[in-house]
Amino acid sequence: MRNRLEVPPDRIAAAARRVMGRCDELARVTAAPGRIERVYLSPEHARVNRLAAEWMREVGMSARQDAAGNELGRLDPPAGSDAPALLLGSHLDTVPDAGRYDGIVGVLMAIEVVRMLRSVDDHGVSTSPLPFALEVIAFADEEGTRFGTALLGSSAAAGTWDDDWWSLTDADGVSLRHAFLEFGLDPGRVGEAARHPEQLIGYLEAHIEQGPELHRRGEALAVVSSIASARRFQVVVEGEARHAGGTPYAMRHDALLGASEAALAVERVCRAEHQIIGTVGQLQAYPGAVNIVPGEARFSVDLRGEFDGYRDHVWDTLGRELDAIMGRRGLRWHAREIHNAPAVLCAPLMRDVVRAGIAATDAPGRRDPATIFSRAGHDAMALGAVTDVGMLFLRNPDGISHHPDEAVSAADVAAGIQALAESVLHLAAEPRP
Ligand code: HGY
Ligand code: MN
Ligand code: MN
């Protein structure tokens, strides 16, 4: 078995061009013409799964949609179809008005790695030349855009699906259960998507950094050390709707002003804490008329940190701040947690093989690759419950992401494909228990 990638640079460059072209093709599969939006269990989800399956089969993999709507390609080794697998992949769903590389580029790079590593016999049949199967998984709902709770597809694959999620509803009041049925999935069989530790060698994900560190360092690739612990809340502030003209300030209990002070408190408390970053991404006033003092306001809180304890301490501090703000204004508030993901460490062996993979390229910074803590969440967080996980970061200029200007260069994608393939070969060279 070879332990170095023997693929000429022009083929790697061609693979990168194919990835960039397919990112553009997938960007055209959207629910909102003029911007990119693709959510769980939507017609767009079904269409990109079909495209991913086509591209998986193109490199000799079998392809199937699992019981949670993830698209899964597999290439068996000569040892046969019950060999454990190394999972490569990322997600194909997006946030509203998204960029075209977040998640997407990782799925397409994984398919190119399989194309480079596979063995093809005289009959054109592809197999994995490694001591394990290669699988590519396109997760169906990393962002949580439709139902608010993230990592649904990868949680199903990790066997950590929570049946409380069935009653989650989208903006139109459609429940997750109903959306499953409409998509052609059986809620009662979601457990069949679960992978088991003995079936897996590990999970490796390539992803854009979604931050400015690699751009600042002038480097193309980085090893990920750990992935942010995250908590998300929906907060409701209750006041009293009143006439906008006839109600003096002394008589007002304006829920929107309470929520606005709370949003500023999130920034103030998190800036003071340094370790934690907090964002209010959604804020609505009800009943939402120009001439009514808002009687109710709802806003989201997204907290991230390297350590769960810091994150939880900041949430406790924010609770006291919100008590004081709402008390002063004669308002009431309550919060519902909609997402909680503990910090996940990337496995030491996976960090080592990713570092070795980067060093095998001629990318800038390869001799001493950066090791970065990911403030963005990823499917690898969910997979960490069932197998060793590792991540490879690609530079995305300016770090802008969750925005149409999100970018990555073909040269960095080529270096990333090479590094990911080399990482797989280094993992294959590791003695197996
Ligand atoms: O929100 C995140 O961190 C990820 O992009 N879903
Ligand atoms: Mn994202
Ligand atoms: Mn992502």
Side-chain angles (χ1 to χ4, degrees):
M1 179 194 73
R2 61 185 162 168
N3 59 11
R4 286 301 308 266
L5 189 65
E6 294 149 2
V7 175
D10 60 336
R11 267 192 58 201
I12 297 174
R17 287 194 299 274
R18 189 166 30 244
V19 166
M20 300 302 277
R22 287 177 170 174
C23 285
D24 293 340
E25 184 172 353
L26 292 179
R28 292 190 287 271
V29 183
T30 176
R35 63 198 190 112
I36 300 172
E37 183 159 341
R38 209 166 41 239
V39 299
Y40 193 31
L41 306 174
S42 64
E44 296 72 41
H45 169 190
R47 280 175 57 202
V48 292
N49 271 13
R50 286 195 293 273
L51 280 169
E54 182 187 314
W55 295 335
M56 289 169 178
R57 293 191 190 100
E58 182 186 86
V59 298
M61 305 182 101
S62 61
R64 66 181 177 86
Q65 181 175 275
D66 75 9
N70 303 308
E71 193 65 34
L72 203 55
R74 182 176 170 97
L75 196 63
D76 285 324
S81 60
D82 57 0
L86 174 64
L87 265 183
L88 304 171
S90 190
H91 62 94
L92 293 181
D93 66 297
T94 77
V95 293
D97 200 12
R100 62 189 61 206
Y101 303 108
D102 171 2
I104 319 306
V105 76
V107 175
L108 298 172
M109 287 171 64
I111 292 174
E112 294 307 321
V113 164
V114 173
R115 188 193 307 271
M116 287 179 186
L117 295 182
R118 63 180 174 154
S119 289
V120 186
D121 69 14
D122 299 342
H123 307 290
V125 176
S126 297
T127 53
S128 163
L130 309 175
F132 42 75
L134 285 171
E135 291 192 12
V136 173
I137 189 159
F139 287 116
D141 185 44
E142 189 275 340
E143 301 289 2
T145 300
R146 181 172 180 186
F147 296 100
T149 295
L151 308 176
L152 292 184
S154 39
S155 296
T160 57
W161 184 274
D162 182 338
D163 283 337
D164 288 349
W165 293 341
W166 291 121
S167 56
L168 291 172
T169 55
D170 66 12
D172 300 323
V174 176
S175 71
L176 176 56
R177 175 182 298 280
H178 186 75
F180 240 67
L181 293 166
E182 277 193 324
F183 195 74
L185 294 172
D186 176 353
R189 299 181 61 179
V190 71
E192 293 172 16
R195 312 304 297 273
H196 303 286
E198 67 279 5
Q199 294 174 323
L200 298 174
I201 297 289
Y203 172 69
L204 266 181
E205 179 171 3
H207 201 288
I208 55 172
E209 180 199 337
Q210 299 178 299
E213 185 60 20
L214 280 170
H215 183 69
R216 188 186 64 77
R217 294 171 67 113
E219 296 173 6
L221 305 171
V223 180
V224 176
S225 56
S226 68
I227 308 163
S229 76
R231 292 181 77 176
R232 293 181 188 173
F233 300 88
Q234 281 294 346
V235 182
V236 178
V237 179
E238 292 162 348
E240 185 184 40
R242 285 256 184 164
H243 193 289
T247 311
Y249 284 116
M251 292 177 68
R252 291 188 180 203
H253 302 291
D254 185 328
L256 179 58
L257 293 183
S260 305
E261 269 201 71
L264 291 171
V266 169
E267 182 192 40
R268 175 168 34 83
V269 169
C270 292
R271 275 185 183 280
E273 282 294 335
H274 303 301
Q275 304 279 347
I276 302 299
I277 198 149
T279 308
V280 174
Q282 297 167 332
L283 175 58
Q284 291 97 13
Y286 300 91
V290 171
N291 57 355
I292 304 177
V293 174
E296 183 179 295
R298 294 172 180 252
F299 64 92
S300 63
V301 178
D302 176 310
L303 293 179
R304 318 276 179 105
E306 190 162 5
F307 304 106
D308 299 353
Y310 272 132
R311 176 204 62 186
D312 298 342
H313 163 71
V314 164
W315 178 244
D316 294 342
T317 305
L318 278 172
R320 291 191 293 277
E321 291 270 341
L322 268 61
D323 282 342
I325 291 166
M326 306 310 168
R328 272 199 312 276
R329 290 179 170 271
L331 302 169
R332 295 171 309 285
W333 74 284
H334 63 271
R336 179 169 63 89
E337 184 164 40
I338 57 174
H339 178 61
N340 183 321
V344 172
L345 284 176
C346 292
L349 173 59
M350 290 300 196
R351 291 207 303 266
D352 290 348
V353 298
V354 170
R355 187 173 291 106
I358 296 172
T361 71
D362 51 12
R366 65 183 185 85
R367 294 195 189 289
D368 179 21
T371 298
I372 293 179
F373 145 59
S374 173
R375 284 179 168 74
H378 300 287
D379 288 305
M381 300 170 79
L383 270 290
V386 73
T387 193
D388 282 352
V389 299
M391 286 195 74
L392 168 70
F393 265 175
L394 279 75
R395 166 173 48 187
N396 74 292
D398 181 50
I400 190 166
S401 180
H402 285 186
H403 185 282
D405 291 351
E406 184 180 279
V408 69
S409 73
D412 286 355
V413 169
I417 291 169
Q418 185 183 2
L420 191 59
E422 295 279 10
S423 303
V424 174
L425 291 174
H426 276 82
L427 189 61
E430 285 292 317
R432 307 231 64 78

